Amino acid sequence: MSTLEVRNLVKDFTIRKGLRRTRLRAVNDVSFTLEPGRTIAVVGESGSGKSTVARMIAQLETPTSGEILLDGTPSATRGRGLDAYRHDVQMVFQDPFASLNPFHTVGHHLERPLRLHEVARGREALDARIHELLERVNLTPAPVFAAKQPHEMSGGQRQRVAIARALAPGARFLVADEPVSMLDVSIRLGVLNLLARLQREENLGVLYITHDLATARHFSDEILVMFRGNVVERGPSDQVILDPQHEYTKLLLSAAPEPANHGRLREEVRRELAAAGAGEPADRDRFGTRGL
Amino acid sequence: MTATTTTAEPLSSDRHAAYLVGKEPVLTARHVSIDYEVEPVVHAVKDVSLTLHRGEILGLAGESGCGKTTLAYGLNRLLKPPALLTSGTVTFHDQDGPDVDVVALTGDALRAFRWDKVSMVFQGAMNSLNPVISVRDQLGDVLKTHRPGMSRAERASRSAELLELVGVDPLRLDSYAHELSGGMRQRVMIAMALALDPQVMIMDEPTTALDVVVQRGILREIMRLREQLGFAVVFITHDLPLLLEISDRIAVMLRGEIVEIDTAEAVFEAAQHPYTRRLLGSFPSLTGDRGAFVRTGEGTGESQEGPHA
Ligand SMILES: Nc1ncnc2c1ncn2[C@@H]1O[C@H](COP(=O)(O)OP(=O)(O)OP(=O)(O)O)[C@@H](O)[C@H]1O
Ligand SMILES: Nc1ncnc2c1ncn2[C@@H]1O[C@H](COP(=O)(O)OP(=O)(O)O)[C@@H](O)[C@H]1O
Ligand SMILES: [Mg+2]
Ligand SMILES: [Mg+2]
């Protein structure tokens, strides 16, 4: 069966402090397997290594150790082999404002991967494919959108272009790093529903990185929770959300905004301050994660 | 007054009237209209009147394109052509001096006003950090410009303190933007807005790239600081559950107009405008059902891909 597997992925970065350098382990021994038609969600702490995992899968970053296997074969890192890999594995980024070139039309953005991966040849065939892609992401009338430039579109429309571009080579796996977090809620669900439909139609394997626990649950089969470079919990979506085991997962779930708690945070802060009097404790655990 | 007709006055309740008693304004917008002078003209903000009170957290909610960011720019005199404030006044009631006519500010007076009196966290701020300047120098620059009396060592320790406040390890002072995660960059921008103890902070989608633990931690810090320092916050987001939790009041914007304004409590318990109710109902719930989200294709999923999306 076709799979995209990552095995024991590790990534170290060096950070500077004046002249000194320290090693930072951004990703520590992460493994999972994407399968056609299934979605794995990665949730977790900001800075816990989610995007770094995505960037390694997209071959934008080289793993310090570990493997990325497409259908059981280690992925190529350059040349033709890399082109072939990119044909199958595509990426959608968080920022629909930055990921499109402001000087090029939508049509141009879609034409490049179609040419590169030799999906279509000749003006007519190319245009037909471009229009078909735009229709699939609900950007109609397609010829009108093909002629538009990025700044003439809303964030949601731009993200649809990014999705269409990722689908253009006929990819089997899609890595989506916070694809909707910059979009308003009114648009967010639309884009996710669209992704879900395309997934069904193409039998795509999807890696969905998000901070939104509710959509992680409803949009995916399995959830991985990352904390400081490690996967601290994983399991079927409902199980992770409804019956969390790790302390960080519990903390994450308890921190999700709850409209019924309106005013509570304010009262908590006021009580705390009143209790502390004028003097403030010098060393507070601001995020509640210190002991973890 | 029925909820479905467009009225000049936003809907609000008795609770709202009771809340307002004795509140002191810090920023007042009166009949503000803002156009984008393009072909055809976009009337992005239409006759909006809004008062921000000292120490208050005012949430501004509404869907994409309704004019939230444009209004925020208007409040801080950041509008650039083709955007034009066609009518209305914005007044800042300075704690340390006379009222300021924000619309008339220019040159040095404007520079002194921004960041110092009213600071802003921009939407997509995570991408507005300068890529070739370290975090230390970006924070340092703000302090150097506005607090020329500060020594180098004072700037360094203030910068470290600010990073700590937003949960970024001060070890990262020498990092560049591309070496930080999206959420860290967003936090650096929040630290920058806090740097000069402003009286008003305007935050446009400031926490969209953060996990909820960090988000809550930062909001807690902001709420704690405002209790201590008394600044006011305009918090713009489409995340209504979040707004309900942190705001004292919430204004709901629809197509350039504020259609409802009320206390968070009243919005949660008894929203009056149908649009506000729709916003409240459209979220998939964490532990309950899917809301309008349909993954499997049965039911109404396709139509939920939405005409505006
Ligand atoms: N090029 C780089 N050089 C040095 N450190 C880096 C680099 N890229 C990422 N890092 C560090 O690696 C860690 C993980 O970053 P990553 O972007 O993967 O986090 P994330 O989980 O995606 O966070 P967020 O939710 O905030 O986007 C962070 O500490 C980050 O600062
Ligand atoms: N530079 C611009 N030129 C023309 N129209 C614009 C420009 N920027 C924003 N608009 C329009 O103004 C309206 C309000 O936009 P904005 O304030 O960004 O909304 P929000 O922040 O609520 O998403 C929208 O109709 C948008 O398309
Ligand atoms: Mg990231
Ligand atoms: Mg905006």
Side-chain angles (χ1 to χ4, degrees):
Chain A
M1 188 171 66
S2 108
T3 54
L4 178 64
E5 184 184 355
V6 308
R7 213 182 266 170
N8 310 111
L9 274 191
V10 172
K11 180 71 191 181
D12 291 338
F13 290 110
T14 325
I15 56 175
R16 283 174 303 278
K17 162 94 182 159
L19 291 177
R20 267 185 300 136
R21 284 163 179 275
T22 18
R23 202 196 55 178
L24 172 87
R25 178 145 296 183
V27 174
N28 187 25
D29 195 19
V30 170
S31 305
F32 57 82
T33 305
L34 280 177
E35 290 169 8
R38 291 177 59 83
T39 303
I40 297 180
V42 181
V43 304
E45 208 191 11
S46 162
S48 64
K50 306 180 295 296
S51 296
T52 306
V53 169
R55 292 172 58 78
M56 286 190 283
I57 295 177
Q59 306 268 9
L60 299 170
E61 205 84 73
T62 317
T64 304
S65 64
E67 286 184 300
I68 299 166
L69 307 161
L70 183 60
D71 304 330
T73 316
S75 67
T77 51
R78 66 173 90 83
R80 260 174 199 280
L82 179 57
D83 286 347
Y85 176 83
R86 293 234 161 99
H87 180 269
D88 288 321
V89 182
Q90 283 283 318
M91 178 104 189
V92 176
F93 294 97
Q94 171 172 10
D95 187 353
F97 300 88
S99 67
L100 300 178
N101 185 325
F103 300 108
H104 288 148
T105 62
V106 169
H108 181 94
H109 280 95
L110 300 181
E111 186 172 323
R112 264 201 84 230
L114 289 174
R115 274 184 194 281
L116 202 68
H117 296 283
E118 296 171 357
V119 179
R121 232 178 270 221
R123 191 67 267 154
E124 242 170 75
L126 279 168
D127 281 340
R129 275 299 284 186
I130 290 169
H131 294 164
E132 186 194 320
L133 282 165
L134 288 171
E135 271 156 25
R136 295 192 55 198
V137 296
N138 291 354
L139 292 175
T140 54
V144 173
F145 276 94
K148 279 191 196 265
Q149 299 205 315
H151 74 264
E152 298 175 86
M153 292 181 299
S154 74
Q157 289 169 338
R158 283 184 238 203
Q159 204 56 313
R160 279 157 195 269
V161 174
I163 292 169
R165 178 176 56 180
L167 292 174
R172 293 184 285 141
F173 296 98
L174 196 64
V175 177
D177 188 359
E178 303 194 44
V180 294
S181 67
M182 302 265 290
L183 306 177
D184 295 72
V185 73
S186 48
I187 291 176
R188 235 181 230 202
L189 285 183
V191 172
L192 284 176
N193 283 333
L194 168 79
L195 265 178
R197 167 167 65 79
L198 296 171
Q199 174 174 43
R200 287 193 306 278
E201 289 172 0
E202 308 263 310
N203 205 25
L204 285 174
V206 176
L207 185 69
Y208 173 48
I209 298 174
T210 184
H211 283 305
D212 185 355
L213 297 168
T215 61
R217 173 175 173 223
H218 296 304
F219 186 62
S220 60
D221 304 286
E222 190 183 346
I223 294 180
L224 264 59
V225 183
M226 282 189 74
F227 181 66
R228 296 186 190 150
N230 296 293
V231 174
V232 294
E233 179 159 2
R234 68 198 303 165
S237 307
D238 279 358
Q239 186 185 311
V240 170
I241 299 294
L242 301 176
D243 185 22
Q245 300 301 310
H246 193 274
E247 286 310 312
Y248 178 71
T249 315
K250 291 180 189 167
L251 182 66
L252 197 57
L253 288 165
S254 69
E258 174 50 69
N261 285 348
H262 53 80
R264 194 175 294 176
L265 200 54
R266 177 176 59 227
E267 299 317 318
E268 259 176 47
V269 168
R270 287 192 179 151
R271 263 200 309 276
E272 250 174 48
L273 285 170
E280 117 184 40
D283 189 34
R284 290 173 308 124
D285 183 5
R286 291 192 163 92
F287 301 92
T289 51
R290 192 167 293 163
L292 297 181
Chain B
M1 193 197 293
T2 65
T4 40
T5 53
T6 320
T7 51
E9 288 293 304
L11 297 169
S12 65
S13 70
D14 296 344
R15 274 192 257 188
H16 185 244
Y19 166 92
L20 292 179
V21 173
K23 290 276 183 303
E24 185 191 336
V26 59
L27 193 66
T28 322
R30 285 280 162 268
H31 303 295
V32 168
S33 294
I34 301 169
D35 287 352
Y36 285 94
E37 299 195 302
V38 289
E39 198 51 53
V41 170
V42 179
H43 303 292
V45 173
K46 301 171 197 160
D47 194 28
V48 165
S49 294
L50 198 62
T51 305
L52 178 69
H53 303 98
R54 224 170 268 294
E56 166 179 70
I57 298 184
L58 173 67
L60 183 59
E63 70 193 8
S64 175
C66 73
K68 304 181 296 291
T69 299
T70 306
L71 176 60
Y73 275 47
L75 294 178
N76 203 4
R77 206 183 171 293
L78 282 162
L79 295 169
K80 281 204 262 339
L84 185 72
L85 190 128
T86 55
S87 67
T89 58
V90 179
T91 311
F92 174 70
H93 312 280
D94 195 349
Q95 189 168 264
D96 317 312
D99 282 4
V100 177
D101 175 356
V102 176
V103 180
L105 283 175
T106 51
D108 286 344
L110 180 58
R111 266 188 297 279
F113 171 78
R114 266 189 218 149
W115 292 107
D116 228 321
K117 306 284 185 194
V118 178
S119 73
M120 175 132 184
V121 179
F122 295 95
Q123 180 166 26
M126 44 187 286
N127 299 314
S128 57
L129 280 174
N130 190 326
V132 296
I133 301 179
S134 68
V135 170
R136 178 191 301 282
D137 290 344
Q138 302 208 34
L139 284 169
D141 266 1
V142 175
L143 296 172
K144 208 194 260 173
T145 313
H146 291 266
R147 300 283 182 271
M150 263 178 137
S151 72
R152 192 188 182 80
E154 282 169 340
R155 285 201 299 271
S157 82
R158 175 67 176 151
S159 299
E161 175 185 78
L162 286 165
L163 282 195
E164 210 146 334
L165 213 55
V166 294
V168 173
D169 190 337
L171 202 68
R172 294 308 188 94
L173 272 172
D174 290 307
S175 293
Y176 291 83
H178 76 273
E179 298 171 331
L180 301 175
S181 77
M184 289 171 179
R185 274 177 280 173
Q186 207 163 32
R187 286 185 259 173
V188 170
M189 297 305 295
I190 295 174
M192 233 164 185
L194 287 166
L196 304 171
D197 296 329
Q199 294 174 45
V200 174
M201 284 209 296
I202 300 174
M203 311 183 84
D204 194 358
E205 313 263 4
T207 58
T208 39
L210 299 174
D211 69 78
V212 286
V213 175
V214 169
Q215 176 175 300
R216 178 165 294 261
I218 288 181
L219 293 172
R220 221 169 200 293
E221 283 307 306
I222 289 173
M223 292 177 93
R224 199 175 63 85
L225 288 171
R226 72 118 183 207
E227 295 290 337
Q228 294 176 323
L229 305 174
F231 59 75
V233 181
V234 180
F235 198 100
I236 302 175
T237 177
H238 53 264
D239 188 345
L240 201 49
L242 175 69
L243 270 192
L244 282 164
E245 257 202 74
I246 64 162
S247 307
D248 300 307
R249 286 196 301 156
I250 293 175
V252 178
M253 203 165 176
L254 175 63
R255 286 184 228 105
E257 292 175 67
I258 297 199
V259 294
E260 179 155 11
I261 183 161
D262 220 316
T263 63
E265 203 184 3
V267 168
F268 177 67
E269 285 166 5
Q272 297 182 56
H273 200 283
Y275 177 68
T276 312
R277 283 193 231 126
R278 195 152 68 76
L279 275 184
L280 282 167
S282 59
F283 298 86
S285 135
L286 185 56
T287 51
D289 68 20
R290 285 165 191 266
F293 179 60
V294 180
R295 185 172 176 220
T296 49
E298 73 263 11
T300 56
E302 298 297 304
S303 63
Q304 292 296 331
E305 285 174 24
H308 312 292

